[in-house]
Amino acid sequence: MTKKVVLHCKQSVLSHVLDNGHTYEVNGNEIDVIVDDVDISDDVEFCNYHNIDYDEVNCIEALNFCAI
C-alpha cells in the first residue's frame, strides 16, 4: 500500500488543486489534499514537490501510516 499524506490547506488552493488533478476533500474551512508520501524531510520541499504552495498549508500529517 502506498503511504499517503494529507496537506490541510487554506481554501484559496482549491482552483490550483483542481488544475493539478490532486485528490482532495473539503473539510470545513480547509481543503485536505491527499498526496503520496515521498522521502523528503523538509516540509517546504515536500509541498513544492506536490505543486502546493507551503504558505497555503495549515498542517501536514500522515494519512494511513505512523510517521515516527
Side-chain angles (χ1 to χ4, degrees):
M1 174 172 25
T2 303
K3 295 177 182 176
K4 298 288 185 180
V5 173
V6 178
L7 305 174
H8 299 279
C9 301
K10 299 174 184 172
Q11 288 186 346
S12 55
V13 303
L14 183 56
S15 62
H16 181 73
V17 167
L18 293 171
D19 290 345
N20 285 290
H22 291 298
T23 301
Y24 72 96
E25 297 176 358
V26 176
N27 184 12
N29 292 329
E30 290 186 326
I31 303 298
D32 293 343
V33 183
I34 302 165
V35 297
D36 290 338
D37 186 32
V38 291
D39 192 21
I40 299 174
S41 60
D42 181 77
D43 289 348
V44 175
E45 289 180 22
F46 184 85
C47 292
N48 287 339
Y49 176 85
H50 290 290
N51 295 316
I52 300 290
D53 182 356
Y54 178 75
D55 292 334
E56 300 299 312
V57 176
N58 297 325
C59 177
I60 301 171
E61 68 178 335
L63 179 63
N64 60 350
F65 68 100
C66 182
I68 293 179

